Amino acid sequence: MSADTNLMPIPGPVDPVPVPRAAPVRADGRVELVGLSREAIRDALGAAGMDVRQAKLRAKQLWHWIYNRGVTDFALMTDIAKAQQPWLAERFSISRPGVVEAQVSTDGTRKWLLKTDDGHEFEAVFIPDADRGTLCVSSQVGCTLNCRFCHTGTMRLVRNLEPHEIVGQVMLARDALGEWPSQPEGRMLTNIVMMGMGEPLYNFDNVRDALKIVMDGDGLGLSKRRITLSTSGVVPMMARAGEEIGVNLAVSLHAVTKEIRDEIVPLNRKYGIEELLQACANYPGANNARRITFEYVMLRDKNDSDEHARELVRLIRHYRLPAKVNLIPFNPWPGAPYECSTDERIRAFSNIIFEAGISAPVRTPRGRDIDAACGQLKTAAEKRSRAALDREQAA
Ligand code: SAH
Ligand code: SF4
């Protein structure tokens, strides 16, 4: 059964776009190979007329060229007969998302504004650190969930990204960092977080298929221990995420009372805190060595009191969760209805959790100067159209 979470009605201050548009077939009629499993590549070759035995061998070779070597041109595939290369090129493509703009922050963070073939913009962010490099990957164009503190949630257009558009973000970052062929040692891009635009568990099948390719040992070769999927709490999909994808889980908790979470994460009206934490307790693969990360955005005078911190500790203990807490200073955007908590407040909040024996680091915002920090992702086109709307309204 395919996970048709696309059409779930979500209560919230703004009605979600009910039916995300399907990704169109390529205008030139060619089949995109990126994002397909080995078997699907083999079947696509067969459907184009290649005989079964050859298709199996070619699929294996193509997989290696695409995911291990990063090659996008069939003419460079030296173990495929010269005469067959144009035959492949006519029928298939190996592409990357279009790059509208690539920016580099003063702190080394990179942001790519990307575009799908049908003209929708989305973003990916690379955050280099001393001992690792993390790519923040988007799962949707926009997001239907309308969390009140999140800029992405205000985008009007929403479409699920296809597997090739999700894997494509990783491949494009590898291109930019010069990290082909895939090698286990000395990489800059070591970790992936599904924390860009969109709710990954509302695009389950595509995210799973994409991450399977990212984790394939003969492909991009990133371990599931270095991949984290962040959800705002799509409870019915969490067990499947653990079973079928098996990556680390991060949960955007952000509040410990129904009243406050209902306000800032409207999905809470559908799946409440108790249900969510129970699903975390049952998450396959979570244990003390692989903890669940609870993300908590620090909103001034909203969710940041000592009492809230103590309640958070109580909940974690009550559900016996192998947990760490990530405190995220709120990143403001124009027109946002909240402010960030003060530094002292964040420190006091963190101390209470820390003193209960739970790790609670405060995340340093990265790439703020290029609007690359958490929750700031919203494409320039959307900002422009918003500005245009405001002008129309003012006129
Ligand atoms: N939709 C998923 C993943 C993308 S959001 C989710 O909500 O978990 C990644 C993280 O950034 C989430 O924890 C989200 O709540 C947080 N975030 C969103 N807007 C933010 C903002 N303005 N400041 C700080 N963090 C924000
Ligand atoms: Fe969507 Fe996550 Fe933003 Fe909420 S925080 S609107 S779920 S991207």
Side-chain angles (χ1 to χ4, degrees):
M1 202 191 80
S2 94
D4 199 359
T5 45
N6 303 342
L7 308 176
M8 282 174 151
I10 309 303
V14 180
D15 280 337
V17 176
V19 186
R21 291 183 272 167
V25 179
R26 280 181 66 101
D28 62 11
R30 290 189 295 164
V31 174
E32 178 60 49
L33 292 180
V34 175
L36 300 186
S37 66
R38 280 188 192 73
E39 297 70 37
I41 294 177
R42 187 195 60 204
D43 294 348
L45 295 172
M50 195 182 277
D51 80 70
V52 178
R53 260 192 50 225
Q54 201 190 151
K56 197 167 171 205
L57 170 68
R58 290 287 182 248
K60 198 166 166 245
Q61 291 168 316
L62 284 165
W63 181 275
H64 182 80
W65 285 111
I66 295 172
Y67 295 116
N68 191 276
R69 307 291 291 270
V71 166
T72 55
D73 182 353
F74 294 100
L76 299 175
M77 302 181 176
T78 48
D79 56 2
I80 291 179
K82 271 249 169 315
Q84 200 173 52
Q85 293 167 354
W87 184 90
L88 288 166
E90 264 167 42
R91 289 160 181 82
F92 300 100
S93 79
I94 302 166
S95 69
R96 301 284 189 264
V99 178
V100 179
E101 193 180 8
Q103 287 176 279
V104 184
S105 157
T106 49
D107 69 11
T109 300
R110 296 172 184 229
K111 181 174 87 170
W112 290 273
L113 175 59
L114 304 170
K115 199 176 197 150
T116 64
D117 282 347
D118 56 332
H120 295 299
E121 292 181 351
F122 60 106
E123 294 179 342
V125 175
F126 178 71
I127 306 146
D129 273 306
D131 58 340
R132 62 166 73 181
T134 306
L135 186 71
C136 182
V137 171
S138 291
S139 55
Q140 300 182 307
V141 172
C143 183
T144 53
L145 291 181
N146 310 123
C147 298
R148 285 201 72 193
F149 50 84
C150 175
H151 210 189
T152 306
T154 66
M155 283 176 67
R156 286 168 304 133
L157 285 177
V158 178
R159 136 143 130 63
N160 283 334
L161 291 174
E162 295 288 306
H164 77 270
E165 293 160 341
I166 299 170
V167 184
Q169 296 170 57
V170 182
M171 300 176 81
L172 188 122
R174 280 254 175 103
D175 293 346
L177 298 168
E179 304 216 294
W180 301 111
S182 291
Q183 57 205 21
E185 300 297 324
R187 289 176 187 165
M188 281 173 75
L189 201 179
T190 57
N191 291 58
I192 289 184
V193 291
M194 296 301 302
M195 293 188 188
M197 291 178 160
E199 168 51 56
L201 296 189
Y202 267 21
N203 186 15
F204 184 84
D205 290 3
N206 292 348
V207 166
R208 175 199 55 208
D209 293 353
L211 289 180
K212 283 221 161 5
I213 293 173
V214 172
M215 292 186 283
D216 189 291
D218 298 326
L220 298 171
L222 266 99
S223 147
K224 66 178 182 180
R225 292 188 163 66
R226 291 183 171 272
I227 302 176
T228 301
L229 183 151
S230 176
T231 179
S232 55
V234 185
V235 169
M237 300 308 292
M238 285 169 60
R240 282 189 64 194
E243 285 153 13
E244 296 177 35
I245 311 176
V247 296
N248 304 322
L249 182 69
V251 171
S252 295
L253 191 62
H254 303 319
V256 290
T257 69
K258 172 164 171 56
E259 193 197 347
I260 302 173
R261 197 161 191 270
D262 275 358
E263 174 190 323
I264 66 180
V265 183
L267 183 65
N268 194 64
R269 299 175 206 170
K270 198 172 176 86
Y271 309 116
I273 294 175
E274 289 78 18
E275 238 183 299
L276 174 58
L277 295 180
Q278 191 55 52
C280 291
N282 300 343
Y283 185 72
N287 53 47
N288 277 331
R290 284 186 84 198
R291 291 166 193 275
I292 295 175
T293 304
F294 288 94
E295 294 162 281
Y296 200 98
V297 63
M298 299 301 296
L299 304 174
R300 183 172 184 166
D301 298 331
K302 178 52 71 180
N303 64 354
D304 62 352
S305 71
D306 286 355
E307 231 170 75
H308 291 140
R310 284 193 287 267
E311 176 63 5
L312 180 55
V313 169
R314 190 192 69 80
L315 286 170
I316 288 171
R317 286 187 176 150
H318 179 79
Y319 288 90
R320 300 171 185 274
L321 295 164
K324 55 190 174 194
V325 176
N326 235 331
L327 300 176
I328 316 174
F330 171 65
N331 289 308
W333 37 273
Y338 303 108
E339 282 175 66
C340 184
S341 310
T342 62
D343 287 351
E344 302 83 76
R345 190 86 292 278
I346 298 177
R347 225 172 301 129
F349 195 97
S350 166
N351 283 342
I352 291 174
I353 301 166
F354 186 73
E355 276 159 22
I358 301 163
S359 151
V362 180
R363 230 201 263 161
T364 345
R366 299 288 302 269
R368 265 190 179 170
D369 55 334
I370 55 169
D371 281 356
C374 294
Q376 289 189 322
L377 301 186
K378 174 165 179 172
T379 61
E382 278 273 349
K383 285 177 201 162
R384 277 195 303 276
S385 66
R386 186 79 163 196
L389 269 178
D390 291 348
R391 271 197 305 278
E392 277 162 30
Q393 273 165 6

